[in-house]
Amino acid sequence: MPKASFLQLISFLKAFFADESNREKIELFIDRSVNENPWFSETLVRHAMQSIEEQFFSVQAWEEFYAKHPVQAAESKNVGIVLAGNLPAVGLHDVLMVLASGHQASLKLSSQDKALMQLYVLAMQSFDTAVPVSIIERLQGMDAVIATGSDFSGGYFAHYFSTIPHIIRKNRSSLAVLKGNETQEDFKGLAQDIFTYYGLGCRNVSTIAVPVSYDLTPLFDELAKETWVLDHSKYSNNFQYHRTLFLLNQIPHFDLGNLLVTENDDLVSPVGVLYVQRYSDDASLQTWIQEREEKIQCKVGLEIGFGQSQHPALDDFADGIDTYDFLINLS
């Protein structure tokens, strides 16, 4: 799409989801989304949709993006997108990047997140049926592919799409680094980084790195307030399961009533569990981070502020790969 048409689409999408005449239709797709994925509570879906509206449906944000990325693709290509299903409409950023760069988007939906993506495609086609986005069953004849999945499926995608340009994303998680000068507001923000979306996303903090002598009590007091997560049966079941596992295996841990905290050298913690890594100095911290760099999505407290992990800018690209640069340089 030309830039002017794309910006008109963004303006239309913002108006579409604010238009009360579309409310019944939107609510129908929200209900379908909640029913197709047991993790997708109504609260989670609405939070995701609100974030999408704020972050992606802003003409000003896209104008600023285009100011930094003024070039579109010289020739339109058919770009296949294999979408993840861990969060509601999590793949919409890739879809918009494909359209913004001037290409066609062919979407292979996740079985866990069909309804919301169908809603957003429907909204785009309500703007203009010629918008180059479509939902397909098989990615055949693609000029390029962007695929998001697990470490296992990522290996399969890399092999299957080896003959065409591709971006393959695998499992990642996020880290928060605390230094000892954090405020209560920082702890409140970190709680959101940990608990938003029940900790399911790659931008959720699953490990915190703290100095050896760091007193975790003030942070624990703040984290323990987030009892709303226990209202979701799957989160609660995960929490109870790992509580039992820790007790049976005599694994030292803190039980906050809504979160289990244990010291662990790993990066990716299970749902309902937060890992703590203690460091003696900045050099040892940097070494530990560098050894896990390929698995880290966000570094809260280092590269972004507390409470900001779930509010990425348009050019906060997943896995540190500039999706837009990849798209405009397809040949």
Side-chain angles (χ1 to χ4, degrees):
M1 300 180 70
K3 290 180 184 179
S5 298
F6 180 77
L7 292 175
Q8 289 173 359
L9 171 63
I10 294 300
S11 179
F12 174 85
L13 290 173
K14 188 172 185 65
F16 180 93
F17 285 93
D19 190 341
E20 281 303 314
S21 67
N22 294 323
R23 182 54 48 197
E24 184 176 350
K25 183 188 305 181
I26 293 170
E27 293 299 323
L28 175 63
F29 280 95
I30 291 175
D31 288 343
R32 289 178 182 174
S33 180
V34 171
N35 289 330
E36 73 187 2
N37 189 328
W39 275 108
F40 287 9
S41 66
E42 184 178 337
T43 300
L44 184 150
V45 171
R46 293 187 188 279
H47 183 279
M49 294 181 72
Q50 181 65 31
S51 297
I52 286 170
E53 180 180 339
E54 294 172 356
Q55 297 164 27
F56 299 163
F57 295 166
S58 165
V59 172
Q60 180 181 346
W62 279 103
E63 287 175 338
E64 292 172 356
F65 178 87
Y66 275 134
K68 298 177 185 176
H69 306 78
V71 178
Q72 283 190 298
E75 180 185 354
S76 179
K77 302 285 187 179
N78 191 1
V79 180
I81 307 176
V82 181
L83 298 169
N86 57 318
L87 299 179
V90 68
L92 189 61
H93 183 271
D94 284 334
V95 178
L96 293 174
M97 282 295 156
V98 170
L99 297 179
S101 63
H103 294 301
Q104 308 166 50
S106 296
L107 316 184
K108 177 67 173 71
L109 303 185
S110 166
S111 61
Q112 297 295 299
D113 183 31
K114 285 186 174 181
L116 275 192
M117 288 308 304
Q118 289 169 338
L119 171 61
Y120 285 114
V121 170
L122 174 66
M124 292 179 197
Q125 293 174 340
S126 297
F127 168 71
D128 188 341
T129 55
V131 171
V133 58
S134 59
I135 296 172
I136 60 177
E137 288 300 317
R138 294 178 62 84
L139 294 184
Q140 295 179 325
M142 299 294 112
D143 297 310
V145 165
I146 300 172
T148 304
S150 64
D151 288 345
F152 175 79
S153 63
Y156 168 78
F157 291 147
H159 174 74
Y160 190 80
F161 299 118
S162 61
T163 59
I164 61 174
H166 58 261
I167 293 176
I168 308 297
R169 303 198 188 101
K170 301 178 182 180
N171 290 341
R172 287 204 176 208
S173 190
S174 293
L175 165 74
V177 175
L178 286 71
K179 298 287 189 177
N181 57 353
E182 289 75 28
T183 67
Q184 198 67 20
E185 287 302 310
D186 290 334
F187 292 149
K188 289 180 180 179
L190 180 54
Q192 300 309 306
D193 296 324
I194 293 169
F195 288 112
T196 301
Y197 303 123
Y198 306 107
L200 296 172
C202 63
R203 299 183 69 90
N204 282 105
V205 168
S206 59
T207 294
I208 58 172
V210 302
V212 172
S213 59
Y214 194 93
D215 180 11
L216 290 165
T217 305
L219 172 61
F220 287 173
D221 289 343
E222 195 61 45
L223 297 182
K225 297 175 183 178
E226 304 293 326
T227 56
W228 60 272
V229 290
L230 297 173
D231 294 336
H232 195 294
S233 61
K234 289 189 72 67
Y235 181 94
S236 182
N237 290 342
N238 271 269
F239 171 71
Q240 296 293 346
Y241 169 78
H242 288 288
R243 171 192 270 171
T244 302
L245 202 63
F246 283 8
L247 290 173
L248 287 176
N249 293 328
Q250 298 183 340
I251 297 173
H253 66 279
F254 296 95
D255 186 342
L256 307 187
N258 61 340
L259 183 71
L260 302 169
V261 184
T262 184
E263 296 195 17
N264 194 302
D265 200 45
D266 232 344
L267 177 70
V268 183
S269 63
V271 171
V273 179
L274 177 69
Y275 286 160
V276 175
Q277 169 68 20
R278 293 190 180 270
Y279 62 90
S280 55
D281 52 43
D282 286 343
S284 63
L285 172 64
Q286 289 305 316
T287 298
W288 186 86
I289 291 175
Q290 288 169 5
E291 290 172 351
R292 294 156 179 80
E293 194 72 53
E294 291 187 357
K295 288 293 183 182
I296 299 174
Q297 190 69 263
C298 302
K299 298 170 188 170
V300 177
L302 283 182
E303 297 176 352
I304 60 174
F306 294 100
Q308 297 303 307
S309 69
Q310 300 299 335
H311 302 280
L314 288 175
D315 54 2
D316 284 338
F317 297 109
D319 294 13
I321 300 172
D322 189 326
T323 311
Y324 194 81
D325 184 66
F326 165 79
L327 290 165
I328 63 173
N329 286 297
L330 292 177
S331 58

